[in-house]
Amino acid sequence: MPKSLKDRLIQALVDNKLVTENDLESARKLQAREGGNLSKILIRENMLTEKDLIFVMSSQLNIPAINLARYKIEKDCVGIIPEVMARQYKVIAICRLSNTLVVAMADPLNIFAIDDLKMLTKFKIEPVLSAETAILDAIDKCYPKIDKPLPEVIKDTKTESNIEISPIKKEEFDIGDYALESDTTPIIKMVNLIILEALKKRASDIHIESEEDNLRVRYRIDGNLHDVLSIPKKSQNAVLARLKIMSGMDITEFRLPQDGRFKIRLQKKEVDFRVSMLPTSFGGKMVLRALDKSNLSIGFDTLGFSPYVLEKFQEAISKPFGMILVTGPTGSGKSTTLYSILSQMNTVDRNIVTVEDPVEYKVEGITQIQVNSDIGLSFANGLRSLLRQSPDVIMIGEIRDSETADIAIKASLTGQLVLSTLHTNDAPTAISRLIDMGIEPFLIASSIILVAAQRLCRVICKSCKGKGCKKCDSTGYYGRIAILETLAVDDKVREMIIDNVSIDEIRNYAVSKGMKTLREDAMEKHKQGITTMEEVVRVTTEE
């Protein structure tokens, strides 16, 4: 039987004494155990150099090899291939000859990549060999921060009827494998790649916005929005329709806001997306919020809380009843903190129930109720019903009105531990907000055991110590950490609430007892080298 091309390449490596039979055997065992590409395993394990692999592939495939570091790439032709596709396939266009596009590739055996590039660019593709690291470096140097508009991707997607649903369980999509299949329509592939790239860049949100001349795509990374893509206007309806289908929305409804969700699988990891659609002047805006369950399994003790904050939280959740409030603006990490608490408390001997709008993370072992105002299921009605189910712990997504606040307070006084959120700037102000909602001070004093105001500040990138590198996308930051102002309600604070003293007096007393303000907690993170002074000022400007 004639040897396959891959077998011939392996044999050539052995014949040229670039790898040994023992190396091959070890690499194959690793491949059987971990999966992946054999040549990449050989390089990773220092059994083979990238340069030697390129030499053998060039001679066996009769494809020229080039050193990209010494090659002058034609800037005008780089943008013919969208950056998201270039990174996905590890390719870069280096020059154009009439109707032929010369493309440097790390893997010229990837016929799916070549076929997709032909279809996308409308050029004949002429591959040349180059090292993967050199290609990625060239991509970093040659592509601008904002991608040029994608070329004309598809001619037969003028109507939504051409959109197909991935053949996976309802509301689940495996973009790891399905995104690159050759029989996937270009619009589906484009949407998959937008999501895939967002996850690679650690984006918490994907903003897809209809504008007058194009469809704009932005990623929110570490709290800040970044332009990543501009899609031609003619593909707008097809892209939005695809996302509506994935999210379970009505694709014929263009006048009213819609909400939906879907789940994707990527390399055995599951990520939920919560999707919001708003009608706009130019067609609509969709925001996809990534809800990664792995963030909840890191453990309550590893959230980055200071020792004082962690101690107060541990004391509070050990109480059999009472109310814990986490306050802060949208996007300050309140839900992640509450879910991390619930995950720690999620044991077989506890009945935990949540009332949310919408349910953000679906957690096994916890009963979760989705608020639905269309059928009269409000926070207040949901709370009344669940109290008949003998819960031990209740989590309310947000206290929005006096009715919900009243039921929550009374539940916390009758044997339940209640967790919820409020929109206030600092911890003591939560008390005055509840009073403004009509709750009697003596009820507040009797029920509240802890109030924490929370913000998120960006963490200095450990790889470059804040200077900017490939890992942090030249921002100098990688990830975020919570800063908190934590007010533990003791007998003195209860007395002050009942006596209706000013919030400033309560704050001053709490500080005298060890409470750090948001700025003080942020300054501690700065002194520890976790964040920068610029972040401290940015996040705590209201102080």
Side-chain angles (χ1 to χ4, degrees):
M1 180 182 292
K3 288 187 176 180
S4 69
L5 187 55
K6 287 187 178 179
D7 288 337
R8 294 209 318 268
L9 286 172
I10 295 296
Q11 189 59 51
L13 289 172
V14 175
D15 292 344
N16 285 277
K17 298 181 180 178
L18 299 174
V19 294
T20 66
E21 292 288 357
N22 287 338
D23 287 342
L24 275 177
E25 186 179 351
S26 299
R28 284 186 174 123
K29 285 179 181 177
L30 283 171
Q31 185 184 37
R33 191 163 62 243
E34 302 172 1
N37 183 286
L38 185 64
S39 61
K40 286 186 178 180
I41 293 172
L42 287 166
I43 293 169
R44 186 191 74 197
E45 299 297 320
N46 297 318
M47 300 172 182
L48 176 68
T49 67
E50 217 172 9
K51 184 179 177 182
D52 288 339
L53 177 64
I54 294 293
F55 166 75
V56 169
M57 290 180 73
S58 179
S59 60
Q60 291 294 313
L61 301 174
N62 199 26
I63 295 176
I66 65 167
N67 183 347
L68 272 182
R70 297 179 181 176
Y71 189 90
K72 187 175 180 180
I73 296 173
E74 293 181 9
K75 303 289 185 184
D76 291 343
C77 71
V78 168
I80 294 173
I81 299 174
E83 183 180 356
V84 67
M85 192 70 81
R87 290 189 183 279
Q88 181 64 39
Y89 288 137
K90 297 177 180 62
V91 300
I92 188 166
I94 60 172
C95 68
R96 174 181 167 186
L97 305 168
S98 185
N99 68 335
T100 299
L101 192 66
V102 181
V103 178
M105 304 184 70
D107 182 11
L109 297 178
N110 188 343
I111 57 172
F112 295 137
I114 293 174
D115 286 346
D116 283 347
L117 290 172
K118 282 180 184 175
M119 182 174 62
L120 262 171
T121 65
K122 311 303 181 189
F123 282 94
K124 179 184 175 184
I125 303 299
E126 185 71 35
V128 294
L129 266 166
S130 190
E132 182 178 310
T133 51
I135 290 172
L136 292 175
D137 284 342
I139 289 172
D140 288 338
K141 290 174 185 173
C142 294
Y143 280 90
K145 288 298 177 186
I146 302 174
D147 269 357
K148 294 179 182 178
L150 280 170
E152 186 176 324
V153 180
I154 190 168
K155 289 186 177 178
D156 58 350
T157 53
K158 294 178 182 175
T159 63
E160 289 77 26
S161 60
N162 294 330
I163 308 300
E164 298 175 2
I165 300 178
S166 304
I168 302 176
K169 197 189 301 181
K170 185 180 179 183
E171 294 186 355
E172 291 189 7
F173 303 87
D174 191 337
I175 68 171
D177 297 324
Y178 199 72
L180 302 179
E181 289 184 6
S182 59
D183 59 348
T184 308
T185 65
I187 287 295
I188 293 178
K189 196 171 300 183
M190 185 195 300
V191 170
N192 287 344
L193 288 174
I194 288 170
I195 295 170
L196 184 65
E197 191 68 13
L199 294 176
K200 284 183 178 179
K201 289 181 177 289
R202 305 174 297 108
S204 59
D205 304 279
I206 305 172
H207 290 242
I208 300 174
E209 302 153 288
S210 301
E211 297 190 332
E212 187 172 5
D213 301 316
N214 64 294
L215 190 64
R216 183 188 191 191
V217 180
R218 294 189 289 172
Y219 295 158
R220 188 180 294 281
I221 302 169
D222 293 336
N224 289 3
L225 280 169
H226 302 268
D227 272 304
V228 292
L229 203 62
S230 177
I231 297 172
K233 190 71 174 177
K234 67 180 298 178
S235 298
Q236 173 178 302
N237 289 343
V239 169
L240 295 180
R242 171 61 183 166
L243 286 165
K244 281 183 176 181
I245 289 170
M246 291 175 71
S247 309
M249 296 180 186
D250 182 356
I251 65 170
T252 64
E253 179 56 74
F254 299 99
R255 301 164 300 166
L256 298 173
Q258 295 189 72
D259 293 304
R261 67 188 304 147
F262 63 89
K263 179 189 294 183
I264 63 102
R265 294 199 302 273
L266 176 63
Q267 297 171 351
K268 299 181 181 179
K269 178 181 177 182
E270 289 187 353
V271 180
D272 286 335
F273 278 89
R274 198 177 81 200
V275 186
S276 171
M277 174 76 183
L278 282 176
T280 64
S281 302
F282 299 115
K285 172 173 178 174
M286 297 191 87
V287 176
L288 289 69
R289 185 177 185 191
L291 304 169
D292 190 348
K293 285 185 187 176
S294 63
N295 291 338
L296 308 181
S297 60
I298 59 173
F300 182 52
D301 296 344
T302 56
L303 284 174
F305 292 175
S306 66
Y308 175 84
V309 171
L310 186 59
E311 178 190 344
K312 295 305 175 186
F313 265 98
Q314 295 286 17
E315 287 176 4
I317 65 176
S318 67
K319 302 280 178 68
F321 60 88
M323 177 178 279
I324 298 171
L325 289 174
V326 181
T327 78
T330 302
S332 58
K334 302 187 299 294
S335 295
T336 300
T337 295
L338 289 184
Y339 272 105
S340 297
I341 294 171
L342 291 182
S343 294
Q344 177 166 317
M345 301 180 75
N346 189 11
T347 55
V348 292
D349 60 326
R350 283 195 182 98
N351 178 17
I352 301 176
V353 186
T354 73
V355 186
E356 304 169 70
D357 182 22
V359 172
E360 294 205 28
Y361 298 92
K362 294 179 180 177
V363 183
E364 189 175 347
I366 293 178
T367 302
Q368 295 171 278
I369 299 170
Q370 168 79 54
V371 167
N372 188 341
S373 57
D374 292 340
I375 59 172
L377 181 55
S378 62
F379 275 112
N381 291 338
L383 266 173
R384 287 194 190 94
S385 299
L386 71 86
L387 286 172
R388 302 187 193 107
Q389 303 242 328
S390 185
D392 300 302
V393 181
I394 300 169
M395 196 268 271
I396 306 165
E398 182 185 347
I399 294 178
R400 297 177 180 172
D401 53 57
S402 56
E403 188 180 13
T404 304
D406 183 60
I407 299 169
I409 291 280
K410 288 172 181 174
S412 70
L413 292 172
T414 56
Q416 282 84 34
L417 186 63
V418 178
L419 288 73
S420 192
T421 69
L422 270 178
H423 284 279
T424 62
N425 287 333
D426 57 26
T429 306
I431 295 166
S432 61
R433 177 64 55 84
L434 290 173
I435 292 172
D436 291 343
M437 286 181 172
I439 308 301
E440 293 290 343
F442 77 90
L443 289 176
I444 298 171
S446 303
S447 61
I448 303 289
I449 53 178
L450 182 81
V451 183
Q454 180 168 314
R455 301 289 188 278
L456 293 175
C457 66
R458 292 183 291 175
V459 174
I460 295 170
C461 175
K462 292 179 181 176
S463 296
C464 63
K465 302 298 181 184
K467 297 172 186 174
C469 64
K470 262 197 300 188
K471 183 178 179 182
C472 65
D473 206 18
S474 300
T475 63
Y477 299 98
Y478 190 89
R480 291 188 290 175
I481 194 168
I483 59 169
L484 290 100
E485 175 180 287
T486 308
L487 171 63
V489 179
D490 60 14
D491 289 340
K492 176 64 176 175
V493 174
R494 291 188 185 96
E495 184 182 314
M496 295 171 85
I497 294 171
I498 292 170
D499 290 343
N500 203 23
V501 303
S502 71
I503 293 302
D504 286 337
E505 288 183 61
I506 294 175
R507 182 184 293 107
N508 292 336
Y509 169 77
V511 169
S512 73
K513 286 294 183 178
M515 181 186 88
K516 286 186 171 64
T517 65
L518 282 166
R519 176 155 288 184
E520 288 170 341
D521 195 39
M523 284 297 295
E524 281 294 317
K525 301 287 194 299
H526 169 57
K527 289 174 184 175
Q528 295 166 17
I530 295 171
T531 191
T532 63
M533 181 58 75
E534 290 80 8
E535 273 297 285
V536 171
V537 173
R538 183 183 71 85
V539 173
T540 62
T541 47
E542 64 266 20
E543 295 195 6

